[in-house]
Amino acid sequence: MRGDLSHHLEIKGACASYGRIQVLKGVDLTLGKGEVVALIGPSGSGKSTVLRMVMGLTLSTAGEIRLDGEAVNYRNPASLRRLRDRIAVVFQQYNLFQNMDVMRNVTIAPLKIKRRPRDQVVADAKRVLAKVGLADKLAAYPDELSGGQQQRVAIARALCLNPEILLLDEVTSALDPELVNEVLDTIRGLAAEGMTMLIVSHEMAFVREVATRVILMDDGQMVEAGTPQDIFDKPQTQRARDFVGKILRH
Amino acid sequence: MLERLADEIPRFFSWSNMLLLGEAMAITLAMTLVGCVLGFLFAFIIAFTRQVPGILTLPFRTAAILFVEVFRRIPFLVVLFLVLFFIQAVAQGTSLFTVAVVSICIYSTAYIADIIRGGFESVARQQIEAAQAMNFSRWQILKSIIVPQSWPVVLPPAVAFMVGFIKDTSLVSQIGVFELTFRGRELNNMGFSGILVFGTIAFLYFAISYPLARWGQWLEKRLAR
Ligand SMILES: Nc1ncnc2c1ncn2[C@@H]1O[C@H](COP(=O)(O)OP(=O)(O)OP(=O)(O)O)[C@@H](O)[C@H]1O
Ligand SMILES: [Mg+2]
């Protein structure tokens, strides 16, 4: 059922730099249809950069990224547009549009970019926003919302794009425990519906439950990859043992 | 001296003189307004051009940067004479008012372009990246995100520049446009006391600028919200 052999998204030997500092030093990752892969690793290890690179916001300096077996040419606007049409991202800092209210944030891309019918877009947006518990905040602006509320708007915004692949960067970091469960339920639901996801998360219990595979990163490299059981219960490398030991003690 | 002044006042504040000064005030205001509004439009185009990357737009970008950097570093009076002699060389018979408006337009374009660029740059990179990740076009990003978010940063200094420029347009009297300062010198030459004439002129500049400056401050407060 899960982990279809046809690889949806493939990253091969990708490197990336900010200015002169290399932050990704050869990342390999495959994300099959319906798979949920979790990226874990210490702060600054390059997890967010992997997501940025997939979206074409940071250009890789080496290696390649394939979508459905076809190499993506990030310098070709049409190729990049096709990729961005199928993949949605929820940023670690939410990045909601500050000049738009919640409803506008969620509907602008489906309306103006995807050109879907207004009635349908509005109905969809209301349904998704209700699902993340924000039905009463449609007219609020981002600076009037708490971090957790903004995070949920960002999730709703990504979902309303109807993506085939969803990239989630620490989507529970700003939530209080009650809401963490709400949001995790939403993601659980998506996983059950077969949504392909690449998630960066520190919620180990959740990763263990929902992820088909876990990849541990450190200093821009993949340290270890395997099933959640492999990584959490019998890590192979010393680096993995250290990291897992630290987060499990929390 | 005070006696002489008291003597002159009724003669000076005659209907014909007041009409003359009223008209001069209108000219001062009109050339500033037309020049600066056109300037704002061109400045916007320049600021937008400057941030479009790619080899195809490189010549436009270079020209835009050169224009801004050069004209911001030349005194307005020099720009005025440059425009005057250039226009006289290519299109004789152009009115001096037009020369003044073109000069004001060039000068304000350069200044306001820089204000707008600063405003565009004040928009957080993450806002733009979020839009790019959703396939917004460059134009849509400008329209939906950059302009609405930089508006409060751009408008107050742009208005302040325009209001401040009203007084600098007095330099235009140098080429003989019938604006306030020119009429002032004329009346002075007719024998009216310099103190009386330029005191009145000073008051008129103040009367135009002050309400506009207050309006600008009000606008700034409202935009800061
Ligand atoms: N815009 C930037 N300019 C320069 N360096 C950056 C930039 N963004 C990130 N970095 C650096 O790149 C490295 C990787 O950052 P990244 O954000 O990918 O880490 P991360 O694993 O997501 O960390 P965290 O768990 O704290 O979110 C870090 O050393 C960081 O300092
Ligand atoms: Mg991160």
Side-chain angles (χ1 to χ4, degrees):
Chain A
M1 189 183 84
R2 282 226 192 121
D4 195 329
L5 281 181
S6 69
H7 288 136
H8 226 21
L9 183 72
E10 253 180 300
I11 305 176
K12 282 186 183 163
C15 300
S17 312
Y18 290 115
R20 253 192 245 136
I21 302 160
Q22 192 176 19
V23 291
L24 296 183
K25 304 164 182 171
V27 175
D28 296 285
L29 185 159
T30 59
L31 187 60
K33 266 201 177 70
E35 254 199 315
V36 179
V37 170
L39 270 184
I40 62 171
S43 184
S45 56
K47 306 179 297 291
S48 296
T49 308
V50 170
L51 304 194
R52 291 177 55 82
M53 190 178 62
V54 170
M55 292 316 286
L57 296 171
T58 298
L59 288 184
S60 57
T61 50
E64 66 174 5
I65 294 175
R66 295 172 158 270
L67 191 57
D68 288 342
E70 203 181 311
V72 179
N73 179 358
Y74 284 93
R75 290 174 199 285
N76 175 321
S79 175
L80 183 55
R81 209 172 309 124
R82 274 197 302 278
L83 171 122
R84 287 173 171 171
D85 202 42
R86 300 173 57 185
I87 308 181
V89 59
V90 178
F91 295 94
Q92 195 169 3
Q93 314 297 335
Y94 342 123
N95 302 0
L96 296 179
F97 300 129
Q98 297 297 314
N99 57 311
M100 302 177 198
D101 65 17
V102 167
M103 197 59 183
R104 187 83 182 140
N105 258 288
V106 174
T107 56
I108 184 164
L111 286 175
K112 303 280 174 183
I113 314 297
K114 305 220 167 192
R115 301 192 170 281
R116 297 201 188 117
R118 173 158 219 109
D119 300 350
Q120 192 195 319
V121 168
V122 170
D124 265 4
K126 283 187 175 156
R127 184 177 48 76
V128 175
L129 283 166
K131 198 157 107 182
V132 293
L134 289 170
D136 56 338
K137 295 286 181 191
L138 304 187
Y141 280 82
D143 61 3
E144 299 163 348
L145 297 175
S146 71
Q149 289 170 329
Q150 291 186 51
Q151 198 147 40
R152 285 178 284 153
V153 176
I155 294 172
R157 181 171 73 172
L159 289 178
C160 283
L161 294 168
N162 291 345
E164 290 169 36
I165 302 176
L166 195 53
L167 312 182
L168 303 172
D169 200 347
E170 305 271 13
V171 284
T172 53
S173 63
L175 303 177
D176 51 45
E178 211 175 313
L179 291 172
V180 166
N181 284 328
E182 251 176 65
V183 169
L184 293 187
D185 274 343
T186 307
I187 300 171
R188 249 180 225 117
L190 290 168
E193 288 164 22
M195 172 75 83
T196 308
M197 288 185 278
L198 179 57
I199 58 179
V200 175
S201 178
H202 283 135
E203 296 285 332
M204 288 310 142
F206 174 68
V207 167
R208 192 188 271 274
E209 174 199 333
V210 76
T212 45
R213 263 176 325 117
V214 177
I215 293 170
L216 172 62
M217 285 187 67
D218 187 27
D219 193 25
Q221 283 167 317
M222 337 263 307
V223 177
E224 211 171 310
T227 64
Q229 290 73 30
D230 290 341
I231 302 290
F232 296 132
D233 300 338
K234 34 184 193 314
Q236 302 295 308
T237 58
Q238 186 57 42
R239 188 71 196 84
R241 272 193 291 275
D242 288 350
F243 183 74
V244 170
K246 230 179 271 163
I247 51 173
L248 289 184
R249 245 178 283 124
H250 273 300
Chain B
M1 183 190 127
L2 277 180
E3 256 170 55
R4 233 191 69 206
L5 265 184
D7 217 36
E8 259 181 38
I9 283 176
R11 265 197 309 128
F12 178 70
F13 288 104
S14 68
W15 277 114
S16 64
N17 280 357
M18 290 308 98
L19 209 64
L20 193 78
L21 287 179
E23 191 192 36
M25 228 166 114
I27 289 175
T28 288
L29 205 59
M31 65 188 181
T32 312
L33 197 73
V34 176
C36 286
V37 167
L38 287 178
F40 197 96
L41 220 72
F42 291 132
F44 188 82
I45 295 168
I46 285 183
F48 179 60
T49 309
R50 273 183 84 157
Q51 53 148 5
V52 180
I55 191 84
L56 280 174
T57 53
L58 188 66
F60 297 100
R61 274 206 314 275
T62 315
I65 292 171
L66 251 147
F67 180 88
V68 172
E69 292 302 319
V70 167
F71 281 101
R72 282 185 57 213
R73 281 168 182 76
I74 300 178
F76 176 65
L77 192 57
V78 176
V79 175
L80 186 68
F81 282 127
L82 268 176
V83 171
L84 175 69
F85 293 121
F86 182 78
I87 286 187
Q88 276 181 350
V90 297
Q92 277 160 358
T94 308
S95 74
L96 289 173
F97 180 80
T98 308
V99 171
V101 168
V102 169
S103 309
I104 293 169
C105 179
I106 289 176
Y107 198 70
S108 61
T109 298
Y111 261 86
I112 298 172
D114 218 46
I115 294 173
I116 296 181
R117 181 183 58 85
F120 284 3
E121 280 171 7
S122 74
V123 177
R125 189 176 42 82
Q126 289 90 330
Q127 293 282 303
I128 293 161
E129 286 177 349
Q132 285 172 335
M134 294 197 287
N135 263 336
F136 279 56
S137 69
R138 191 172 296 287
W139 175 247
Q140 281 165 325
I141 292 177
L142 184 77
K143 193 176 69 138
S144 315
I145 291 145
I146 297 180
V147 169
Q149 291 193 21
S150 57
W151 199 233
V153 181
V154 167
L155 218 51
V159 169
F161 168 80
M162 294 184 204
V163 174
F165 203 66
I166 292 174
K167 52 189 168 52
D168 295 336
T169 59
S170 67
L171 289 166
V172 161
S173 64
Q174 295 285 336
I175 63 167
V177 178
F178 300 149
E179 46 70 77
L180 264 182
T181 307
F182 184 88
R183 290 302 192 198
R185 286 206 317 212
E186 215 175 45
L187 289 168
N188 186 223
N189 288 341
M190 281 162 66
F192 289 110
S193 140
I195 294 174
L196 184 62
V197 172
F198 284 104
T200 308
I201 300 286
F203 172 76
L204 291 180
Y205 273 114
F206 178 81
I208 305 174
S209 300
Y210 188 70
L212 287 173
R214 289 307 294 261
W215 174 69
Q217 283 163 2
W218 174 80
L219 209 64
E220 182 165 5
K221 276 215 194 76
R222 255 199 52 159
L223 288 171
R225 180 177 65 98

